Amino acid sequence: MKTALRKLFSPILNSFESGEDVYVYKQSHRKILLFMGGLSFVLSIISLIAAIAASQLAGFLPILIFFIGGLVCLIVGLLGSDHAVARIWGSK
């Protein structure tokens, strides 16, 4: 299952896993990344509810930003290698 999902999300993962540079990885980085991804999804749901309640299309931008940010964080946190997690944090 994991290999099929890695293949499906390979365009996102390849951008973070490319390169042979030296990186510093800590296990807490992955946990924080997963937490931030989940938090972004919650914020996108709250923004969606608020936009529907207010009948405003202006709420689409925060929904999109939080959803995409949360999706990338969760994909890299769940499926990415240690190098991808370290690279998303910018640790070298």
Side-chain angles (χ1 to χ4, degrees), residues 15-90:
S15 64
F16 291 106
E17 293 177 345
S18 63
E20 296 294 326
D21 52 340
V22 178
Y23 62 93
V24 177
Y25 170 77
K26 296 180 183 175
Q27 190 175 10
S28 63
H29 289 171
R30 187 177 301 271
K31 291 177 185 175
I32 295 170
L33 190 63
L34 291 171
F35 176 77
M36 293 303 293
L39 182 64
S40 293
F41 269 131
V42 169
L43 287 173
S44 71
I45 292 169
I46 291 171
S47 297
L48 178 65
I49 292 169
I52 291 171
S55 299
Q56 296 289 326
L57 288 177
F60 182 70
L61 186 62
I63 295 167
L64 187 64
I65 290 172
F66 286 124
F67 181 77
I68 291 173
L71 184 67
V72 169
C73 287
L74 288 176
I75 289 171
V76 172
L78 291 172
L79 301 173
S81 65
D82 294 345
H83 186 198
V85 173
R87 191 153 182 206
I88 202 168
W89 279 106

